[in-house]
Amino acid sequence: MNDINNEGHQKSSNIITATELKSNLGTYLDYVIDNNEVVITKNGKKAVRLTPYLTDSDRYFLMKEKALDYRYGGKKVSYEEFREIYEKSDMRMEFINGEIVLLSSPSIIHQEISGNLYVGFKEYLKGKGCKVFYAPFDVHFRKEGFKDPDVMQPDLLVACDVAETTDEKGRYMGTPVLVVEILSPSTRSKDMVDKLNTFMISGVREFWIVDPDQETILVYGFKDLDIDHFRTYRKQEAVRSYWLPDLEISGNIVFP
């Protein structure tokens, strides 16, 4: 059962009475427009179903996506099970704390920021032996004290151990020195809590959190599996790396 939680309204299930529909018509219409369904009952029996207006092809892909989300999203599996599922799927997914997390498509501003940072890192790394990669690019973060690693697709990462940690299938199995995540409404809490903890205890040296809404970049520096440095940079400032010597990128270049 889905819940409605629009600001200013109480939560209601997606099966409602005709009276509830009359009292909160606007709320339920908004809920349906957001690609949900509402079933209206009369005299205790299901009478009417409200669904979003979609073409046949749109409805097919929407239902397929929801079925996949129900099948995999939030599912608790082992590391080995995740790898088996991932190999057979064409969906983008991560494995965090034993749970499968499905990834949505990024926004335009997300891609612009990612591209701007990639160019800045690429220019800095010329002749330095390290490489910058952008998503989708799997990284197996092996956390201190945990049996199974987390598998994530950071928006950007800088790796200096590519040659010695690439397996026979051409997959990177090392630990990046720097990881960047660009926030979105759906990933904000995950990036700022779960991923920060994973990066910190898996040997990553530096973590940048880019906030497109606030136009800020949070830079965390890690030492001995703990936070050693933290600073917030704004758009008008130059972002300085904690770990990479002399790396500096202007915030005006990062944010479009």
Short mmCIF file of all heavy atoms in Angstrom, two decimals, residues 71-72 74-86 93-101 148-149:
data_model
loop_
_atom_site.label_atom_id
_atom_site.label_comp_id
_atom_site.label_asym_id
_atom_site.label_seq_id
_atom_site.Cartn_x
_atom_site.Cartn_y
_atom_site.Cartn_z
N ARG A 71 11.05 -5.96 -7.19
CA ARG A 71 11.82 -7.20 -7.17
C ARG A 71 13.19 -7.01 -6.53
O ARG A 71 13.67 -7.87 -5.80
CB ARG A 71 11.99 -7.72 -8.60
CG ARG A 71 12.73 -9.04 -8.69
CD ARG A 71 12.80 -9.50 -10.13
NE ARG A 71 13.56 -10.73 -10.25
CZ ARG A 71 13.87 -11.31 -11.41
NH1 ARG A 71 13.49 -10.74 -12.55
NH2 ARG A 71 14.57 -12.43 -11.44
N TYR A 72 13.85 -5.87 -6.81
CA TYR A 72 15.22 -5.69 -6.37
C TYR A 72 15.41 -4.59 -5.34
O TYR A 72 16.23 -4.72 -4.44
CB TYR A 72 16.12 -5.38 -7.58
CG TYR A 72 16.25 -6.53 -8.55
CD1 TYR A 72 16.02 -6.34 -9.91
CD2 TYR A 72 16.60 -7.79 -8.12
CE1 TYR A 72 16.15 -7.39 -10.81
CE2 TYR A 72 16.72 -8.84 -9.01
CZ TYR A 72 16.50 -8.64 -10.35
OH TYR A 72 16.63 -9.67 -11.24
N GLY A 74 15.79 -2.35 -2.31
CA GLY A 74 15.68 -2.59 -0.89
C GLY A 74 15.86 -4.03 -0.48
O GLY A 74 15.75 -4.36 0.71
N LYS A 75 16.14 -4.91 -1.42
CA LYS A 75 16.28 -6.34 -1.13
C LYS A 75 17.59 -6.61 -0.41
O LYS A 75 18.64 -6.15 -0.82
CB LYS A 75 16.22 -7.13 -2.44
CG LYS A 75 16.21 -8.65 -2.25
CD LYS A 75 16.09 -9.34 -3.60
CE LYS A 75 16.10 -10.85 -3.46
NZ LYS A 75 14.91 -11.35 -2.77
N LYS A 76 17.52 -7.38 0.68
CA LYS A 76 18.71 -7.78 1.43
C LYS A 76 19.28 -9.06 0.82
O LYS A 76 18.59 -10.08 0.75
CB LYS A 76 18.36 -8.02 2.89
CG LYS A 76 18.11 -6.77 3.70
CD LYS A 76 19.43 -6.10 4.09
CE LYS A 76 19.20 -4.96 5.06
NZ LYS A 76 20.47 -4.33 5.47
N VAL A 77 20.51 -9.01 0.37
CA VAL A 77 21.15 -10.16 -0.25
C VAL A 77 22.61 -10.21 0.20
O VAL A 77 23.13 -9.26 0.78
CB VAL A 77 21.09 -10.09 -1.80
CG1 VAL A 77 19.66 -10.14 -2.29
CG2 VAL A 77 21.81 -8.84 -2.30
N SER A 78 23.27 -11.32 -0.10
CA SER A 78 24.70 -11.42 0.17
C SER A 78 25.47 -10.75 -0.96
O SER A 78 24.91 -10.46 -2.03
CB SER A 78 25.12 -12.89 0.29
OG SER A 78 25.02 -13.53 -0.98
N TYR A 79 26.75 -10.53 -0.74
CA TYR A 79 27.62 -9.94 -1.76
C TYR A 79 27.64 -10.82 -3.01
O TYR A 79 27.55 -10.32 -4.14
CB TYR A 79 29.02 -9.78 -1.18
CG TYR A 79 30.08 -9.31 -2.15
CD1 TYR A 79 29.96 -8.10 -2.83
CD2 TYR A 79 31.24 -10.08 -2.36
CE1 TYR A 79 30.96 -7.67 -3.70
CE2 TYR A 79 32.23 -9.64 -3.22
CZ TYR A 79 32.09 -8.45 -3.89
OH TYR A 79 33.07 -8.02 -4.74
N GLU A 80 27.72 -12.12 -2.83
CA GLU A 80 27.74 -13.05 -3.96
C GLU A 80 26.42 -13.01 -4.72
O GLU A 80 26.39 -13.04 -5.96
CB GLU A 80 28.02 -14.47 -3.48
CG GLU A 80 29.43 -14.72 -2.98
CD GLU A 80 29.70 -14.07 -1.61
OE1 GLU A 80 28.72 -13.79 -0.88
OE2 GLU A 80 30.89 -13.84 -1.30
N GLU A 81 25.29 -12.94 -3.99
CA GLU A 81 23.98 -12.86 -4.65
C GLU A 81 23.84 -11.57 -5.43
O GLU A 81 23.29 -11.55 -6.54
CB GLU A 81 22.87 -12.98 -3.60
CG GLU A 81 22.71 -14.37 -3.01
CD GLU A 81 21.74 -14.39 -1.85
OE1 GLU A 81 21.68 -13.39 -1.09
OE2 GLU A 81 21.05 -15.41 -1.69
N PHE A 82 24.33 -10.47 -4.83
CA PHE A 82 24.27 -9.19 -5.54
C PHE A 82 25.02 -9.26 -6.86
O PHE A 82 24.53 -8.81 -7.91
CB PHE A 82 24.84 -8.06 -4.69
CG PHE A 82 25.09 -6.79 -5.45
CD1 PHE A 82 24.04 -5.95 -5.78
CD2 PHE A 82 26.37 -6.46 -5.89
CE1 PHE A 82 24.25 -4.78 -6.51
CE2 PHE A 82 26.59 -5.30 -6.62
CZ PHE A 82 25.53 -4.46 -6.93
N ARG A 83 26.22 -9.82 -6.84
CA ARG A 83 27.02 -9.89 -8.06
C ARG A 83 26.34 -10.74 -9.12
O ARG A 83 26.37 -10.43 -10.31
CB ARG A 83 28.41 -10.45 -7.74
CG ARG A 83 29.22 -9.55 -6.82
CD ARG A 83 30.68 -9.96 -6.75
NE ARG A 83 31.38 -9.68 -8.00
CZ ARG A 83 32.69 -9.85 -8.16
NH1 ARG A 83 33.42 -10.32 -7.17
NH2 ARG A 83 33.26 -9.58 -9.32
N GLU A 84 25.67 -11.81 -8.70
CA GLU A 84 24.94 -12.66 -9.65
C GLU A 84 23.76 -11.91 -10.25
O GLU A 84 23.53 -11.95 -11.47
CB GLU A 84 24.46 -13.92 -8.94
CG GLU A 84 23.76 -14.90 -9.87
CD GLU A 84 23.33 -16.18 -9.16
OE1 GLU A 84 23.72 -16.37 -7.99
OE2 GLU A 84 22.61 -16.96 -9.78
N ILE A 85 23.00 -11.20 -9.40
CA ILE A 85 21.87 -10.41 -9.89
C ILE A 85 22.34 -9.31 -10.83
O ILE A 85 21.77 -9.08 -11.90
CB ILE A 85 21.10 -9.79 -8.70
CG1 ILE A 85 20.40 -10.88 -7.90
CG2 ILE A 85 20.08 -8.75 -9.18
CD1 ILE A 85 19.82 -10.39 -6.57
N TYR A 86 23.41 -8.63 -10.43
CA TYR A 86 23.92 -7.50 -11.20
C TYR A 86 24.40 -7.93 -12.58
O TYR A 86 24.19 -7.22 -13.57
CB TYR A 86 25.04 -6.83 -10.41
CG TYR A 86 25.56 -5.54 -11.03
CD1 TYR A 86 24.72 -4.45 -11.18
CD2 TYR A 86 26.88 -5.42 -11.46
CE1 TYR A 86 25.17 -3.26 -11.73
CE2 TYR A 86 27.34 -4.24 -12.02
CZ TYR A 86 26.49 -3.18 -12.15
OH TYR A 86 26.94 -2.01 -12.70
N MET A 93 22.63 -0.34 -10.29
CA MET A 93 22.33 -0.59 -8.89
C MET A 93 23.60 -0.60 -8.06
O MET A 93 24.70 -0.82 -8.57
CB MET A 93 21.57 -1.92 -8.72
CG MET A 93 22.30 -3.14 -9.25
SD MET A 93 21.34 -4.69 -9.02
CE MET A 93 20.03 -4.46 -10.23
N GLU A 94 23.43 -0.31 -6.77
CA GLU A 94 24.53 -0.35 -5.81
C GLU A 94 24.19 -1.34 -4.70
O GLU A 94 23.04 -1.74 -4.53
CB GLU A 94 24.77 1.05 -5.22
CG GLU A 94 25.25 2.07 -6.24
CD GLU A 94 25.51 3.44 -5.65
OE1 GLU A 94 24.72 3.87 -4.78
OE2 GLU A 94 26.47 4.10 -6.07
N PHE A 95 25.21 -1.72 -3.95
CA PHE A 95 25.07 -2.67 -2.85
C PHE A 95 25.64 -2.01 -1.61
O PHE A 95 26.85 -1.86 -1.47
CB PHE A 95 25.83 -3.95 -3.20
CG PHE A 95 25.76 -5.04 -2.15
CD1 PHE A 95 24.56 -5.64 -1.84
CD2 PHE A 95 26.91 -5.46 -1.50
CE1 PHE A 95 24.50 -6.66 -0.89
CE2 PHE A 95 26.87 -6.46 -0.55
CZ PHE A 95 25.66 -7.06 -0.25
N ILE A 96 24.74 -1.56 -0.70
CA ILE A 96 25.16 -0.78 0.47
C ILE A 96 24.61 -1.44 1.73
O ILE A 96 23.40 -1.61 1.88
CB ILE A 96 24.66 0.67 0.38
CG1 ILE A 96 25.16 1.33 -0.91
CG2 ILE A 96 25.13 1.47 1.59
CD1 ILE A 96 24.62 2.74 -1.14
N ASN A 97 25.51 -1.81 2.64
CA ASN A 97 25.12 -2.45 3.90
C ASN A 97 24.23 -3.67 3.68
O ASN A 97 23.25 -3.89 4.40
CB ASN A 97 24.42 -1.45 4.82
CG ASN A 97 25.31 -0.29 5.21
OD1 ASN A 97 26.52 -0.46 5.38
ND2 ASN A 97 24.73 0.90 5.35
N GLY A 98 24.56 -4.46 2.65
CA GLY A 98 23.82 -5.69 2.38
C GLY A 98 22.51 -5.50 1.66
O GLY A 98 21.73 -6.44 1.51
N GLU A 99 22.23 -4.28 1.18
CA GLU A 99 20.95 -3.98 0.55
C GLU A 99 21.16 -3.45 -0.87
O GLU A 99 22.07 -2.67 -1.12
CB GLU A 99 20.20 -2.95 1.38
CG GLU A 99 18.82 -2.61 0.88
CD GLU A 99 18.09 -1.66 1.81
OE1 GLU A 99 17.92 -2.00 2.99
OE2 GLU A 99 17.71 -0.56 1.35
N ILE A 100 20.31 -3.89 -1.80
CA ILE A 100 20.36 -3.42 -3.18
C ILE A 100 19.68 -2.05 -3.27
O ILE A 100 18.56 -1.87 -2.80
CB ILE A 100 19.68 -4.40 -4.14
CG1 ILE A 100 20.45 -5.72 -4.17
CG2 ILE A 100 19.60 -3.81 -5.55
CD1 ILE A 100 19.81 -6.79 -5.04
N VAL A 101 20.38 -1.09 -3.88
CA VAL A 101 19.84 0.25 -4.07
C VAL A 101 19.82 0.54 -5.57
O VAL A 101 20.86 0.49 -6.24
CB VAL A 101 20.70 1.32 -3.36
CG1 VAL A 101 20.14 2.71 -3.62
CG2 VAL A 101 20.77 1.03 -1.86
N ASP A 148 31.65 -8.32 3.91
CA ASP A 148 31.30 -7.98 2.53
C ASP A 148 31.57 -6.52 2.23
O ASP A 148 31.32 -5.65 3.07
CB ASP A 148 29.82 -8.26 2.26
CG ASP A 148 29.50 -9.75 2.25
OD1 ASP A 148 30.44 -10.54 1.98
OD2 ASP A 148 28.34 -10.11 2.49
N PRO A 149 32.07 -6.23 1.04
CA PRO A 149 32.26 -4.83 0.65
C PRO A 149 30.94 -4.19 0.23
O PRO A 149 29.94 -4.88 0.00
CB PRO A 149 33.20 -4.94 -0.54
CG PRO A 149 32.85 -6.25 -1.17
CD PRO A 149 32.49 -7.17 -0.02
#
